[in-house]
Structures are given as structure tokens and as C-alpha cells.
Amino acid sequence: MKVANAAAQWHLKRQVPDRALREKLLPDYTIGCKRILVSDNYYPSLIHPNVELHTDGVQEVRARSVVTRGGEELEVDTIIFGTGFHVTDPPIAERIRGRSGQTLKEAWTPSMQAYLGTTVAGFPNLFFMLGPNTGLGHNSMIYMAESQMNYIADALRVMGLRGSDAVEVRKEVQDAFNEELVKELEGTVWTAGHCQSWYLDDTGRNTTLWPSWTFRYRARTRRFDADSYRLERRAQPAVTRG
């Protein structure tokens, strides 16, 4: 990320001549740890004479003002509370129960896990679009969704050919896949250092992003890998002949 970091600092210096203001705007984490804002007019908007940048943080919100942690009271008429996304514990997980009666939220404690971000052990016939570890910070999410759509469609095709009523990813396959993700995420900008972002859950685990090239994900989802699953066929009722 050294090249990207140098380019970002050059961009900042070119658009913000004031050194003191630049120091306030310079993040204390490696570029890429949080989502990168690509803009040509963000920095210039902060150097207008009618704009002030305060970085102390908010201590208190009053009827017509906010008080910074430094004790300064600032009159305001609008507050925009922009803290990013919250994706590591989706509310829908409380409403989905698996084979054993366990909720998806319980299965996802302390961290979300899935196989290819699409299927979850213990939850037959449950398919996710853009599930755990399919998020991107460097490509289009549409590409990932298209890959999953193809994978799910092929799964339904295989189920039809085999006469299966239920399909469930094997627990050992899911575990191996997530161990692979952890290894690939080690040392990346998202997990190294002390950077906090919405990519990480409460345990500090990155359950949001795909850690590799998107073409690798497309290759892994091009065909439904039936050997990684248990395909079950509902017992047919006995036929009584007169």
C-alpha cells in the first residue's frame, strides 16, 4: 500500500496548502484499512472561509449546539451522524432456524461464518446473496452477486437431477474454508495494526471482505461442488396396492 499511500498524501498536499489543516486530515491508519473516499472536491470544500474543521470529537449534544471533548460549544442546525455500515450481526439471523432448532444468530456467535459466503452448515436449503466475506473494497459487488447467482442456480440444477429435497454444506468443508480465509486475511491492511472499521466484528475478526482476487471467487463458484454437500432425498410414502 506504499504507492497508494504516497499518492494519497500527494493529493492531500496539492489540495490543502495549509500544513496544520493537512495534519488534521491525515488518517492515523494505513490507507485501505477503511473504505477509501475517491473525490476531487472533498478537500477543497474544507478550505472555504466559512468552513471550520473540528477533530476533538463530540462530548455532548444540546438543543442547538454540540460541545466538543475540548469544551468548545458550537452552534448547529443539522447533525449528520455518519459512522459507516453495521453488517456483522444482521437482524434476519434471529428469525432463521436450522436443522437443530438453533437460530442463525446463535450459530453465528461469536462470528459469522459461511461457505463461499453462500451456504451455512446446519441450515439446509439456505442460500445467501452477498453473505459473510463476500464484500469488496476494490471491485464491483455485482460481480460477486452474479457469481453467487450462477452457483445457486447450478445447485438447484444438481438437486433436480438427483431428486434431492435438501442440500447442506458439510461442517468440515465450511470450517476448512473459513480457516483459509483467516490465513489469507493475516497481515492485510484490514487486520494489521489497530485500525477499527465496520469490516470487523466485536471479536476483531474480518467477516465482511473477500481477501483475494475476485476472479478466484468466480472460479470457485462457477460450478456447484456437490461433494462439499450432503444432498438428501425425502423418503417416499409407501404405496398400498389393492
Side-chain angles (χ1 to χ4, degrees), residues 9-234:
Q9 292 200 39
W10 172 83
H11 181 64
L12 173 61
K13 186 174 183 179
R14 185 171 64 90
Q15 291 204 323
V16 182
D18 185 87
R19 180 187 294 272
L21 181 57
R22 283 205 309 272
E23 290 179 356
K24 288 184 176 181
L25 292 169
L26 189 64
D28 59 358
Y29 52 83
T30 304
I31 187 172
C33 162
K34 302 184 181 185
R35 179 166 289 188
I36 299 173
L37 175 64
V38 181
S39 173
D40 287 329
N41 52 24
Y42 172 65
Y43 287 144
S45 70
L46 298 176
I47 64 177
H48 291 315
N50 62 335
V51 175
E52 293 182 9
L53 177 64
H54 297 266
T55 59
D56 290 341
V58 176
Q59 178 68 34
E60 180 184 354
V61 177
R62 297 178 178 173
R64 297 185 180 279
S65 65
V66 296
V67 179
T68 70
R69 289 174 183 161
E72 186 177 4
E73 185 174 7
L74 305 170
E75 184 179 350
V76 298
D77 55 16
T78 301
I79 298 175
I80 300 174
F81 191 61
T83 59
F85 301 96
H86 187 66
V87 299
T88 57
D89 54 352
I92 190 64
E94 299 179 9
R95 299 179 176 271
I96 300 175
R97 291 188 180 273
R99 187 185 295 277
S100 66
Q102 183 184 43
T103 66
L104 188 59
K105 180 179 180 179
E106 291 169 336
W108 278 355
T109 300
S111 296
M112 296 192 300
Q113 289 192 13
Y115 176 58
L116 295 173
T118 309
T119 54
V120 181
F123 292 80
N125 292 354
L126 175 64
F127 296 97
F128 271 97
M129 295 292 295
L130 304 180
N133 290 107
T134 57
L136 299 177
H138 63 296
N139 207 323
S140 171
M141 291 298 298
I142 295 175
Y143 187 86
M144 301 295 278
E146 289 175 342
S147 301
Q148 287 181 289
M149 288 172 61
N150 180 77
Y151 186 76
I152 295 170
D154 200 40
L156 297 176
R157 181 187 65 83
V158 172
M159 289 177 69
L161 290 174
R162 299 191 182 186
S164 301
D165 299 299
V167 60
E168 178 188 345
V169 66
R170 299 178 184 274
K171 182 67 163 57
E172 63 272 18
V173 172
Q174 177 177 296
D175 290 344
F177 173 75
N178 281 273
E179 288 176 8
E180 177 185 340
L181 287 178
V182 170
K183 290 179 180 179
E184 290 201 31
L185 284 164
E186 286 179 357
T188 63
V189 68
W190 305 303
T191 57
H194 302 286
C195 176
Q196 295 182 344
S197 73
W198 59 268
Y199 301 143
L200 310 180
D201 64 16
D202 291 340
T203 71
R205 179 170 178 167
N206 188 331
T207 58
T208 307
L209 297 181
W210 174 249
S212 183
W213 302 98
T214 52
F215 69 79
R216 287 184 58 196
Y217 185 81
R218 174 64 64 91
R220 294 186 71 157
T221 54
R222 190 173 298 279
R223 295 285 184 273
F224 177 67
D225 48 339
D227 290 343
S228 298
Y229 290 79
R230 293 185 178 90
L231 282 84
E232 301 175 3
R233 186 172 184 176
R234 188 183 299 115

